[in-house]
Amino acid sequence: MMTIVIFGAGGMTGSSAVAEAASRGHHVRPLRSADADITDPQAVARAAAGHDAAIAGVAPAEADPGDFFPAVADGLVTGLQKAGVSRLVWVSIASLLPDAAGVPPVDTGSFPAEYRPFSLGHRTALETFKASGLQWTAVSPAGDFATDTPAIGGYTLTEVGDLTTRITHADHARALVDLAERSGLRGAHLGVAPQSPGAAGSVAGRAEHR
């Protein structure tokens, strides 16, 4: 069993990851925004010390996302390295995944201007992780979350985004914990899509590469 610290445990994504990890027998430390300042490397190091992996699914309450996400990425990289934790699973956003034509939605002219700062803040965070020595994986819905659909108990991993797809928080959490359990993965942003009916390997998921 692993010890996993989960930042952002007060939200739907984080709380679902807490429930999934605990159901597998992992020792979980759930942290809400009031428990630790994730932009503070010292706070991150104290929270993560003694853990095998970290999962982070956070969003700014009132802060500018262009300031918040880079600060969070810096805090996580420095803090986790100080704590000796090399494995990070980061909850990202689908607008950064390339579509079928190879273009991330945030880079198209039709992308809503009001959502661009949030997406670009996430992109800056990914660039910080890429430059670090962490074994990191970014995970997002391939499209968006389904809030009123029952979990199906499985998922598919993809490198291609599809904003029409919907994944439940519970199935997305399965992917987060599955990837936290895997060592050696580094430098990928993967989308989580619903598993096709009748597909095998429901919990482990399947990777589809372009």
Side-chain angles (χ1 to χ4, degrees):
M1 295 297 102
M2 298 176 63
T3 57
I4 304 174
V5 58
I6 299 182
F7 298 96
M12 283 294 296
T13 303
S15 61
S16 298
V18 170
E20 177 64 24
S23 74
R24 303 187 191 189
H26 295 311
H27 175 76
V28 181
R29 184 177 187 187
L31 295 174
R32 296 168 175 79
S33 58
D35 299 323
D37 180 2
I38 197 172
T39 67
D40 179 357
Q42 297 300 323
V44 171
R46 288 192 297 269
H51 290 77
D52 299 313
I55 296 174
V58 297
E62 298 179 356
D64 182 338
D67 296 328
F68 176 78
F69 287 114
V72 166
D74 287 337
L76 282 170
V77 168
T78 302
L80 291 177
Q81 289 176 334
K82 182 177 180 65
V85 178
S86 62
R87 186 80 185 105
L88 170 66
V89 178
W90 168 259
V91 179
S92 190
I93 191 167
S95 57
L96 301 182
L97 287 169
D99 61 17
V103 180
V106 69
D107 293 332
T108 65
S110 60
F111 191 76
E114 62 269 28
Y115 299 143
R116 191 175 299 276
F118 195 90
S119 295
L120 294 180
H122 263 287
R123 175 174 281 170
T124 302
L126 291 185
E127 292 170 352
T128 299
F129 298 141
K130 289 176 184 177
S132 77
L134 294 178
Q135 293 181 7
W136 65 274
T137 305
V139 185
S140 68
D144 204 350
F145 286 110
T147 57
D148 55 359
T149 303
I152 62 174
Y155 62 86
T156 295
L157 292 176
T158 177
E159 294 177 344
V160 179
D162 178 357
L163 297 184
T164 67
T165 66
R166 298 293 181 268
I167 189 78
T168 68
H169 281 92
D171 290 325
H172 183 263
R174 289 181 172 87
L176 292 176
V177 179
D178 279 348
L179 290 167
E181 292 175 342
R182 300 179 190 176
S183 62
L185 294 178
R186 186 172 186 271
H189 178 192
L190 301 173
V192 187
Q195 181 181 292
S196 301
S202 62
V203 174
R206 294 175 293 117
E208 295 180 351
H209 298 284
R210 297 174 63 204

